[in-house]
Amino acid sequence: MNLSYWEIKSWLTNIDYTIVGSGIVGLNCALQLKNRFPKSKILILEKGLLPQGASTKNAGFACFGSLSEIIDDLKTHSEEEVFNLVKKRIDGLQLLRKTLGDSTLDYQELGGYELFTNTDLLEQCLDKKEDINTLLKPLFKQDVFSFKFNPFGFENCNETLSFNQFEGQIDTGKMMVSLTQLVLSSGIKILNSSTVEHFSEADNSVKIKTDQFEFSTSKLLIATNGFASRLDISEVKPARAQVLITKPIKNLHIKGTFHLDQGYYYFRNIDNRILFGGGRNLDFKGEETTDLSQTDLIQNKLEALLKTTILPTTPFEIDHRWSGIMGVGQQKKPIVKQISNNVYCGVRLGGMGVAIGSLIGKDLANLL
């Protein structure tokens, strides 16, 4: 691209902080940097027309983990690690709600449910419920998990559902529009459709090459989560999440957020529709991709579960399908660190971007 003098001068000169990624982490990082360094010149680069990660493509769960997921985490993490993971999710949600407000987010605390198609898993959750409630009580001051009889007419699953009274949902489209407006009104610039191809570091600066232009910045902060491996952050693997949504359903009686199969499937109500996603466990290797397409294997499974389990007696039509890219790894703890003298990253949100994205962005900015 052959930029003019004015374009170079106004957008690409004397940049103090460049953030790669305009999702939840990148935008919150920019806001925190501007708060700490009001006179700084901050630029956000986004490879997509809209944020291309999971920030605008997720299900909008304001959650911190289903009962079976937390039990499963305790197999590979210590109690202290799991406690801290949940605390970070709670703190992140509180920061998000404080930053934008519940009305802006369309935040609704309708509770979260978990369905069980596996009797052994249900029995394990029944057995471990008190232990998990005891572990989390210092955070919530009450028992988090209880069990309820199925009030929704779900079929081909156990009539007993796990219930989390503190789980909520938000409209992530409204969230991202509001965050973007807040960032722009703070004097921070965003350049969309700009893919970072390479960067090289000097003593006091970083030279960045995009598919459109080249420039230098004092500090580089990487907030690309599922796409982090493209910038040589090997600890993060992409994980595609396929989603579909129904057309509006008259008198829809399902209200809340719902988990199935240790959180590998998830659904919720939104605008009298059912939004349903997941199925990555059907093909872990195939879903380790940054390709935003869908597969018949997973889409057919989502439709089958809608017909047989979620809406067994309710006619529905699929209105739309999409995919988002999460960032995962061997551990669920996010990576927020300094990579080199002038390069930093906040990545590996593990599918909990809505919950922890605001906090990770703030923590990333506070590394400087």
Side-chain angles (χ1 to χ4, degrees):
M1 179 183 290
N2 188 15
L3 298 175
S4 74
Y5 168 76
W6 310 112
E7 291 166 334
I8 294 170
K9 179 182 177 182
S10 297
W11 274 272
L12 300 174
T13 300
N14 298 324
I15 305 299
D16 297 299
Y17 308 109
T18 297
I19 299 165
V20 187
S22 69
I24 302 172
V25 176
L27 295 180
N28 277 281
C29 176
L31 288 171
Q32 178 67 3
L33 285 171
K34 197 65 174 178
N35 183 55
R36 292 185 60 208
F37 311 108
K39 296 182 179 180
S40 64
K41 193 169 181 180
I42 302 171
L43 175 65
I44 301 174
L45 298 176
E46 170 56 52
K47 76 183 187 69
L49 180 65
L50 298 172
Q52 285 296 290
S55 295
T56 56
K57 303 179 186 298
N58 56 45
F61 278 36
C63 67
F64 51 84
S66 66
L67 179 55
S68 68
E69 185 180 356
I70 292 173
I71 292 170
D72 191 59
D73 286 345
L74 286 167
K75 297 175 183 177
T76 55
H77 299 69
S78 68
E79 285 194 358
E80 182 181 8
E81 288 172 330
V82 170
F83 180 90
N84 288 333
L85 282 171
V86 174
K87 183 179 187 304
K88 188 174 287 289
R89 294 163 185 170
I90 295 167
D91 292 345
L93 284 170
Q94 289 176 343
L95 177 59
L96 174 63
R97 294 169 66 185
K98 180 181 178 181
T99 300
L100 295 179
D102 286 355
S103 177
T104 297
L105 292 167
D106 194 16
Y107 177 82
Q108 300 178 61
E109 200 166 279
L110 301 176
Y113 299 83
E114 182 168 10
L115 287 68
F116 298 96
T117 58
N118 183 309
T119 302
D120 290 341
L121 182 61
L122 172 59
E123 289 179 353
Q124 184 183 23
C125 288
L126 287 165
D127 183 57
K128 296 289 186 180
K129 181 198 73 171
E130 291 305 321
D131 292 340
I132 302 302
N133 280 337
T134 299
L135 175 66
L136 300 182
K137 187 160 284 189
L139 296 173
F140 293 94
K141 313 305 179 187
Q142 300 179 54
D143 286 345
V144 176
F145 295 105
S146 59
F147 287 90
K148 289 181 176 290
F149 182 77
N150 176 9
F152 301 106
F154 300 138
E155 294 183 2
N156 297 302
C157 64
N158 199 284
E159 286 298 313
T160 299
L161 306 179
S162 169
F163 178 65
N164 170 0
Q165 62 174 317
F166 297 105
E167 191 155 306
Q169 55 180 265
I170 66 169
D171 185 316
T172 50
K174 292 179 179 179
M175 172 190 72
M176 290 303 293
V177 168
S178 298
L179 266 179
T180 301
Q181 291 173 342
L182 192 57
V183 164
L184 293 173
S185 68
S186 299
I188 299 162
K189 293 182 172 65
I190 302 175
L191 291 179
N192 293 84
S193 302
S194 302
T195 301
V196 174
E197 296 181 338
H198 178 71
F199 62 87
S200 57
E201 192 169 9
D203 288 341
N204 297 307
S205 65
V206 181
K207 186 175 183 180
I208 299 173
K209 181 182 184 303
T210 77
D211 59 345
Q212 305 283 350
F213 48 80
E214 297 183 21
F215 72 105
S216 291
T217 183
S218 296
K219 303 291 183 183
L220 173 64
L221 301 100
I222 298 170
T224 53
N225 197 29
F227 298 91
S229 60
R230 292 185 176 182
L231 295 176
D232 298 325
I233 302 175
S234 60
E235 303 101 316
V236 185
K237 301 296 183 185
R240 181 169 60 190
Q242 299 187 37
V243 185
L244 58 76
I245 192 166
T246 68
K247 290 182 179 180
I249 298 171
K250 189 175 181 179
N251 299 320
L252 181 66
H253 63 285
I254 296 172
K255 308 289 183 184
T257 54
F258 298 83
H259 307 263
L260 174 65
D261 198 3
Q262 294 179 300
Y264 282 117
Y265 296 97
Y266 44 89
F267 60 97
R268 61 170 287 190
N269 65 295
I270 175 73
D271 299 332
N272 296 313
R273 306 164 184 255
I274 290 294
L275 184 155
F276 187 25
R280 185 169 63 92
N281 55 324
L282 297 176
D283 183 14
F284 280 119
K285 194 61 181 175
E287 295 305 295
E288 192 178 295
T289 179
T290 56
D291 183 350
L292 288 167
S293 62
Q294 294 86 48
T295 64
D296 289 341
L297 173 68
I298 290 176
Q299 290 293 318
N300 290 342
K301 181 64 173 180
L302 293 177
E303 285 197 49
L305 285 170
L306 273 176
K307 291 175 182 177
T308 61
T309 300
I310 301 168
L311 296 169
T313 61
T314 303
F316 65 87
E317 294 180 67
I318 305 303
D319 192 27
H320 188 53
R321 307 172 195 267
W322 69 92
S323 294
I325 308 299
M326 303 177 291
V328 301
Q330 292 184 340
Q331 287 285 304
K332 289 198 172 183
K333 183 180 179 181
I335 299 171
V336 184
K337 69 177 183 179
Q338 182 172 0
I339 297 174
S340 58
N341 286 341
N342 301 301
V343 182
Y344 307 77
C345 74
V347 293
R348 198 174 69 185
L349 276 67
M352 286 285 174
V354 169
I356 64 174
S358 300
L359 192 61
I360 299 306
K362 183 177 180 179
D363 289 347
L364 175 58
N366 287 340
L367 290 177
L368 283 81

